[in-house]
Amino acid sequence: MPNFDLGESIPPDTAHAVSVSLPTWKANVGYEEGESWVVDKMVTGYPRFFIHKSIQAFAEDIVSKFGKSGQLAMLFPTKKTAQRCLQFIRDKAPAELTGDLEVLHLVLDTSKENSEALQTVRPAVSAVLYKQEAFSVAKQYWQHSGDGVSSRRAEFCHGLLNDGLLVLETAKSPRDSYQKCRGPRRYQQRPSSIDATNGHASLKGQAKNGVNGAAEDTTEALESSRFLEERFGRNLSVSLVANAKSAIRRRIAGTLTETIDLTAALPSMQSDARGVTNFREDDVYLFPCGMNAIFTAHQMLLRAREPRKSVNFGFPYVDTLKILEKFGPGCVFYGRSSSVDLDDLEQRLKSGERFLALFCEFPGNPLLTCPDLARIHQLADTYDFAVVVDDTIGTFHNVNVLPFADMVVSSLTKIFSGDSNVMGGSLVLNPNSRYYTPLKETLTREFEDTYWAEDVIFLERNSRDFISRIDRVNANAEAVCEILLAHPSVTQVYYPKYNDSRPNFEAVKTSNGGYGGLVSCSFKSKAHAEVVFDALETAKGPSLGTNFTLSSPYVILAHYQELDWARGFGVDPYLLRFSFGLEQTEELMAVFSKALEASESVPSE
């Protein structure tokens, strides 16, 4: 098993890695406390919580060229997304912090001759400039909405800015903007080596202080990177991004599992995919991350229906609850997703309360409990509310929840990608939903495709073998579960196969599916949990669904400021969560057995 140093990207030497190494219990606490011995060593982090250093560098240059002293910039792919952030700051920040708010839109300079590649990716970025003191509010929007620019978009557009090819849309003269934009070139990125693990051009040297020296022409750098990608047979040309998106949509729909020729024209698709008749490819929408799909689902429902409170059913991933609380009329929260909770919800409905939608995860995170989707669907039909199910942890290979939902959202960053080097998300409409027509009309009118072309290409490549990978992580998770269940230091194992809610999982389990690759467990004491975590010889950091096993003290990372609140819903603050990868099963079993043995020296309390 590999060892990772504190703060190292996971995978290592990967410019756009999704996770970061926090290898000890103390390091996780230090990260949450903002201690410099941890934070200063982090070369990256989970992208919605840690603003990638390429994005930071780009934002700094935008402020230095176009902003005022004391301002910061938050970067977004379009004017609309930037305007939403600006409005959020106005609504949530104290009035004295909302001065100097403005949005700048940077676009490709069309007065110059540009390559076909530049025209294909349509580079643009919008910057929200705000006072430094308002950073915490702006960061809330970035984290909750998932609207922010990806690191690949920022890296590419930053190079264009430095080369005078990205200019202010409102500039009087492209040449004037060009002269103003030249400025320091210290952040220009260029490929310097090939990442042997992923077979792609790794843009190293972009960490702490940027890159010094003269920059290459941006277009040449892009073409060099693309040549390496295509030379090693891994990625498509960006000119095929439309076909790559189509392939991703079809894999999500469940109609495409084999490799096909994406250079050829793809026929239209209409089928009974995922057990739903009249399903079409354009019922699948792609997003830059999973949380952005959830955010969009909520926003579209607010526009398509009469705005009302929603229901968050089950202990949620942290930002789902925040979206429902902060971006609309609010929500009612049921933290256990139990039959008792459903009884209470039914009583509310019978007494006349009405809701916009019910949001739930299947299974939930981190307890892996599964709500009763059949009963929820029945209540939704009777009392007129939409059902939105997040099947990220279950995965749409293991479970098929679409017949019970109006919308299904997923984080494609996880096992669908697996390589932990690109973000992505999806939203699937059920064409037989009573809300299909108003939702489809609203999405047709409102939806912006902000998924950056290079990210699409990486996701398409990574997802070609996702079914075989899911089958393997299913098997590895079940094997290690047996070891955890048998060990005296472990007091509870959370896994759909062993939870009381297993019948709810079985009701939607696919014929070829398993129980997933995510497992959590609790121990006799905090001390037992710490010893086991520190002894584990796996990668340790945020995220899940990676092709390698990834461990974390999940509640410490996700709910550090609200541990007692989590405990109130039956969530042990000191549980460990394991996302199993593709390692040899016997090797994983030995690693976990060894770590559990370390807990046997902990005195009983």
Side-chain angles (χ1 to χ4, degrees), residues 140 149 184 218 369 391 431:
Q140 286 179 44
V149 297
T218 303
T369 53
D391 68 350

Side-chain angles (χ1 to χ4, degrees), residues 425-494:
S426 65
L427 182 158
V428 179
L429 284 182
N430 183 339
N432 300 320
S433 161
R434 71 169 74 184
Y435 311 114
Y436 178 79
T437 298
L439 284 171
K440 192 72 174 179
E441 290 174 350
T442 304
L443 280 161
T444 299
R445 184 175 64 251
E446 301 281 349
F447 174 71
E448 282 190 301
D449 183 355
T450 62
Y451 203 10
W452 179 239
E454 291 175 286
D455 293 323
V456 171
I457 297 301
F458 270 81
L459 186 66
E460 189 283 322
R461 179 201 75 183
N462 293 352
S463 62
R464 291 173 191 171
D465 62 347
F466 82 101
I467 288 179
S468 62
R469 289 186 286 105
I470 291 172
D471 289 340
R472 184 163 184 80
V473 303
N474 287 344
N476 280 343
E478 287 201 49
V480 177
C481 266
E482 296 296 331
I483 294 174
L484 295 171
L485 286 163
H487 200 275
S489 295
V490 176
T491 57
Q492 181 73 47
V493 173
Y494 305 98

